[in-house]
Amino acid sequence: MGRATAHGKAILAGEHFAVHGTAALALPIPSRSVTVEVDRTPGDWDVPDGVEPHLIRCLECLGEPAEGLSIRVESTLPVGSGLGGSAAFAVALVRALGDGGLDDQEVRERAHRLEVLAHGSPSGIDDAVATLGCPVFMSPIRTIEPLILSEQPRIWIAISHEPSSTLEAVSHVSELKMKDEERFSNLRTRGAELVALAHAALLSADWAGLGHVMGKNHALLAELGVSTPALDRLVSAAVEAGAYGAKITGAGCGGAVLALAPE
C-alpha cells in the first residue's frame, strides 16, 4: 500500500497575474491537508463526495488502471476555497502511486498534469507548494525558489460561504484582458510590483510592511473584478480587529481571505 499526504497553500501575492507571466508568492498551510492511500488490488473506494469522477480522470492521465486499485482519500481542506485542494490531492495521489520512488521534480511534473485537468492553465505554484511543503517564490518564467524564512508569518484564513471556481475566475480575468488590453496591462504591472514588495517584506519579517502590501493587493484584485461583498467584509473585519493586512487568496469570486495578524 502507498500512502502520502500533501498540504494546502495560500497565495500571498500574484493571483491571476501569474498565469499571465508575473511572479507569485505562496505559503503552505501545514494544518490542512489531503491524504491518499492506494492499494494495488481491486477493492472499494472511500473518497469524499464528488471526488470520484476527477479521480478517475487523474488515474487515466497517469496511465493507472482504476479497476485494479483500492483507494481512500481524506481531506481537511475546504473544497472550492482557493486553498490548493486539487494540487494537494494531485501530489498525494502521485506520491501514493509512486510508492516513495519519485523525486520532487517527478512528483511536480506529474501533479502539474493533473492540475491541468482541474484548472485548464495553472501557473504551477500550487503544485510546487504542495510538493515542497515550504514557502515558494515563482519567477515570471515559472522557475521555483523554495524560501527559508527567519520567522514565520502569523497567518489566519477566513472562509466565505461562497464557493470559488478557479476555472470561472480565470475565464473572467481572460475576458477582461481581451476587452481592455491596456487596462489589464496596467493592472498586471501593478500586480508584479506588489509581488516584489511582498517578497522583500516576507524575507525581512517586516510584518507591518507586508500587511500594507496585502491591503493594496486586495484592492487591486477588487479592481480586477474577483472580489465580492462578502470577501470585502472579511478583509475589513480582519483589519478592524487589528490585523496588519488582509486580502483574497486564490482565484477569488468567493473562497477565502488571508489575514496577517500581530501576536
Side-chain angles (χ1 to χ4, degrees):
M1 178 177 288
R3 186 178 192 275
T5 297
H7 299 291
K9 69 87 184 66
I11 300 289
L12 193 56
E15 287 94 343
H16 288 291
F17 300 112
V19 178
H20 299 277
T22 71
L25 193 60
L27 308 170
I29 307 173
S31 62
R32 299 285 177 167
S33 62
V34 177
T35 297
V36 176
E37 291 183 356
V38 176
D39 192 340
R40 291 186 176 279
T41 57
D44 295 333
W45 288 11
D46 181 6
V47 303
D49 291 342
V51 169
E52 187 170 325
H54 180 62
L55 175 54
I56 292 173
R57 289 195 300 271
C58 289
L59 292 172
E60 290 173 347
C61 179
L62 295 171
E64 294 282 354
E67 65 278 4
L69 302 172
S70 301
I71 299 178
R72 181 181 182 189
V73 178
E74 294 181 339
S75 177
T76 58
L77 273 169
V79 176
S81 295
L83 299 176
S86 66
F89 170 74
V91 168
L93 177 63
V94 167
R95 283 201 165 127
L97 290 167
D99 299 319
L102 302 175
D103 63 27
D104 285 345
Q105 185 59 35
E106 291 172 313
V107 171
R108 268 205 69 206
E109 288 173 356
R110 296 186 189 189
H112 189 74
R113 284 158 49 196
L114 305 187
E115 278 287 85
V116 170
L117 293 179
H119 299 306
S121 181
S123 69
I125 196 166
D126 286 24
D127 48 81
V129 176
T131 300
L132 300 174
C134 68
V136 302
F137 173 77
M138 187 179 74
S139 75
I141 59 171
R142 298 193 177 182
T143 57
I144 295 294
E145 176 191 352
L147 300 179
I148 299 175
L149 305 181
S150 60
E151 184 179 341
Q152 297 297 322
R154 294 175 55 84
I155 294 295
W156 292 78
I157 297 172
I159 309 296
S160 76
H161 291 293
E162 305 165 314
S164 174
S165 168
T166 299
L167 278 172
E168 291 178 8
V170 168
S171 175
H172 166 79
V173 173
S174 295
E175 289 176 9
L176 172 64
K177 181 182 179 183
M178 291 177 61
K179 289 178 181 177
D180 194 338
E181 181 74 37
E182 183 177 354
R183 178 169 177 254
F184 180 82
S185 178
N186 177 264
L187 294 172
R188 178 184 175 278
T189 298
R190 288 162 57 196
E193 292 169 351
L194 291 174
V195 174
L197 292 171
H199 188 199
L202 179 65
L203 292 179
S204 62
D206 176 9
W207 305 137
L210 181 57
H212 180 69
V213 174
M214 290 171 68
K216 287 184 172 295
N217 204 330
H218 180 77
L220 180 65
L221 291 169
E223 281 189 63
L224 195 61
V226 296
S227 189
T228 68
L231 294 174
D232 290 341
R233 287 195 297 272
L234 286 172
V235 167
S236 296
V239 173
E240 289 168 7
Y244 291 122
K247 60 179 283 293
I248 293 168
T249 184
C253 297
V257 160
L258 187 69
L260 177 64
E263 190 163 350

